[in-house]
């Protein structure tokens, strides 16, 4: 059997999916399969089997005694920006004093502030900072992650970011998906001629990104003050010609049409959705595009939350992601994120769990690899401290509930 690991005496083995893994929708988001007094057998980085302690295997190369603990699949964080030069604490203070996100951006802050800092930072230092952040979120249970560019806004700096993401993918056991987000904002040097910047994205950046295999997806910030529906459509259509699938930043600041243009371009996900009406919910009901909600942005910016409760009640399957970034969500702590979602979106811990595990995996097209306790999936597992359940993890939001994290069968 090779280098086998047996985790035994598990109080609750939670997040089991038998058969084909797919997006969990509607009422099914509130159901999760669990086995009490359980075991999991891991070999060569893969979940080989699991069951009740009544059927526990007699031998394995290594034994982990999880008496009193719960075991969960690792979190799947499908929307982050962890490659950035430095934090934006000053803007945080400005917002406390009354400035809006839009006012800060209009004055050269926000994304443009991060872009100016990133352009000046050497690639190796950018990598070291991002690697540290990645290790931080792994320690909190994240086993698969999507990372976007978008703080470069020049050909050279966007490619620099994507090379850093590639290095992160190569230097860690977690699965990393890369997204090109050159259309995150219009850089100040193109303020009077945004058409030239869009031309640069379409005719230079996208071909080079695709040619070097630096990204899986292309994203656009389709929202008030950023990119229009028509501009978004042009960019995503061009990206599709080069094999880059669509993702969308949509409806964070206004009802922007971003959801609809995302659906039109077969986007894997449309993300944010704080400003969402019944029209957008109805459109998503008839699409395969996954609504991905970012509640820590609403918490940090003190803006409306996306209507998660209405979406689930109307049969949609939602993903929830951290949006770890320096301006609007400087945290990749998924247990804390679940607590914020439950408390402010009025969803249950089980629904939040579905959103950050199997549905997060689906939003990265990784559902066959991770996101659940399933035979033949990667052994990406969280072992809690004794006495922790899913409900208590979300309830006691300030505590550190995680004892060990296993990625592809290796304790990290």
């Amino acid at each position: 059997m090779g280098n086998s690991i047996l985790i035994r005496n598990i109080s609750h083995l939670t997040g089991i999916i038998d058969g084909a893994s797919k997006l969990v929708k509607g009422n099914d988001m509130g159901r999760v399969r669990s086995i009490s007094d359980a075991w999991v057998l891991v070999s060569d980085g893969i979940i080989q089997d699991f069951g009740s302690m009544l059927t526990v295997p007699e031998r394995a190369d290594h034994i982990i005694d999880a008496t009193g603990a719960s075991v969960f699949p690792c979190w799947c964080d499908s929307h982050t920006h962890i490659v950035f030069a430095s934090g934006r604490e000053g803007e945080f203070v400005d917002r406390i004093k009354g400035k809006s996100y839009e006012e800060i951006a209009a004055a050269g802050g926000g994304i443009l502030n991060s872009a100016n800092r990133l352009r000046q930072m050497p690639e190796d230092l950018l990598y070291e900072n991002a690697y540290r952040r990645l290790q931080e979120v792994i320690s909190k249970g994240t086993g698969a992650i999507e990372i976007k560019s978008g703080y470069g806004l020049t050909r050279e700096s966007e490619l620099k970011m994507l090379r850093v993401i590639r290095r992160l993918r190569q230097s860690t056991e977690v699965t990393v998906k890369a997204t090109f987000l050159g259309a995150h904002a219009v850089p100040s040097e193109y303020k009077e001629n945004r058409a030239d910047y869009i031309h640069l994205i379409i005719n230079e950046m996208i071909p080079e990104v695709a040619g070097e295999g630096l990204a899986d997806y292309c994203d656009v910030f389709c929202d008030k003050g950023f990119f229009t529906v028509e501009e978004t459509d042009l960019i995503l259509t061009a990206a599709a010609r080069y094999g880059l699938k669509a993702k969308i930043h949509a409806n964070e600041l206004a009802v922007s049409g971003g959801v609809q243009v995302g659906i039109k371009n077969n986007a894997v996900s449309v993300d944010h959705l704080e400003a969402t009406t019944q029209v957008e919910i109805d459109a998503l009901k008839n699409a395969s595009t996954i609504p991905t909600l970012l509640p820590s942005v609403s918490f940090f910016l003190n803006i409306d939350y996306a209507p998660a409760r209405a979406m689930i009640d109307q049969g949609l399957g939602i993903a929830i992601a951290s949006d770890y970034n320096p301006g609007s969500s400087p945290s990749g702590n998924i247990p804390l994120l679940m607590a914020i979602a439950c408390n402010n979106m009025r969803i249950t811990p089980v629904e939040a769990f579905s959103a950050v595990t199997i549905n997060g995996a689906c939003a990265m097209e990784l559902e066959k690899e991770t996101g659940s306790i399933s035979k033949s999936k990667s052994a990406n597992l969280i072992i809690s401290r004794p006495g922790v359940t899913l409900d208590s993890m979300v309830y006691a939001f300030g505590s550190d509930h995680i004892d060990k994290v296993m990625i592809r069968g290796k304790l990290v």
Side-chain angles (χ1 to χ4, degrees), residues 2 23 52 61 120 166 209 231 258 292 298 317 344 364-366 391:
L23 189 74
S52 163
D61 296 318
Q120 299 169 24
R166 180 169 61 188
V209 168
E231 291 165 342
T292 298
S298 299
N344 295 287
M364 294 183 280
E365 302 179 292
L366 293 173
D391 286 353

Side-chain angles (χ1 to χ4, degrees), residues 138-378:
I138 291 170
S139 73
K140 301 295 184 183
T142 295
I145 190 168
E146 182 257 20
I147 309 173
K148 302 178 189 293
S149 69
Y151 290 135
L153 306 184
T154 65
R155 172 189 163 277
E156 296 79 8
S157 294
E158 286 294 307
L159 292 173
K160 178 169 71 173
M161 288 190 74
L162 290 166
R163 286 193 299 266
V164 167
I165 297 170
R166 180 169 61 188
R167 288 172 68 180
L168 293 172
R169 175 183 282 169
Q170 294 169 344
S171 63
T172 179
E173 293 288 343
V174 299
T175 300
V176 175
K177 287 278 192 166
T179 297
F180 167 61
L181 182 56
H184 200 189
V186 176
S188 54
E189 58 266 34
Y190 288 92
K191 187 176 181 179
E192 302 304 322
N193 196 350
R194 58 191 294 124
D196 280 357
Y197 184 61
I198 293 168
H199 183 275
L200 177 68
I201 291 172
I202 290 173
N203 293 292
E204 295 187 33
M205 291 189 188
I206 287 174
E208 193 157 0
V209 168
E212 293 188 31
L214 288 172
D216 304 291
Y217 305 111
C218 178
D219 196 340
V220 179
F221 193 174
C222 182
D223 217 326
K224 176 184 175 183
F226 291 87
F227 291 86
T228 68
V229 166
E230 293 75 20
E231 291 165 342
T232 300
D233 193 40
L234 281 174
I235 294 166
L236 294 181
T237 299
R241 290 198 296 268
Y242 286 89
L244 297 177
K245 295 184 178 182
K247 280 181 170 277
I248 292 270
H249 279 62
N251 295 49
E252 177 185 0
L253 306 172
V255 178
S256 66
V259 170
Q260 289 86 345
V261 74
I263 292 169
K264 176 187 174 185
N265 284 275
N266 300 308
V268 176
S269 68
V270 286
D271 302 14
H272 274 291
L273 312 188
E274 291 87 353
T276 295
T277 71
Q278 188 62 43
V279 173
E280 285 73 37
I281 293 175
D282 288 341
L284 287 163
K285 289 178 186 177
N286 298 311
S288 60
T289 298
I290 300 168
T292 298
L293 313 184
L294 312 174
S296 58
V297 173
S298 299
F299 169 78
F300 194 69
L301 296 183
N302 197 25
I303 61 176
D304 289 339
Y305 286 82
R309 182 73 271 149
M311 290 178 175
I312 294 171
D313 288 346
Q314 294 185 54
L316 292 179
I318 66 167
I320 290 176
S322 75
D323 195 18
Y324 191 173
N325 77 81
S328 60
S329 181
S331 170
N333 185 326
I334 298 294
L336 175 60
L337 179 72
M338 286 193 286
I340 291 170
C342 292
N343 196 60
N344 295 287
M345 291 177 162
R346 314 315 295 172
I347 64 176
T348 67
V350 172
E351 290 169 335
F353 175 82
S354 297
V356 299
T357 54
I358 188 58
N359 285 4
C362 289
M364 294 183 280
E365 302 179 292
L366 293 173
E367 66 272 15
K368 294 182 180 178
E369 175 185 327
T370 191
S372 65
I373 307 294
S374 304
K375 294 178 185 178
S376 300
K377 283 194 177 182
S378 293

Side-chain angles (χ1 to χ4, degrees), residues 84-99 104 109-110 113-114 117 129 132-133 300-301 324-331:
F84 58 87
S86 59
R88 303 211 302 256
E89 296 87 345
E91 294 177 11
F92 170 62
V93 175
D94 286 341
R95 284 193 295 101
I96 292 172
K97 292 179 177 179
K99 287 188 178 181
I104 291 168
N113 185 1
S114 286
R117 296 180 186 185
N129 290 344
R132 173 180 50 78
R133 295 183 198 108
F300 194 69
L301 296 183
Y324 191 173
N325 77 81
S328 60
S329 181
S331 170

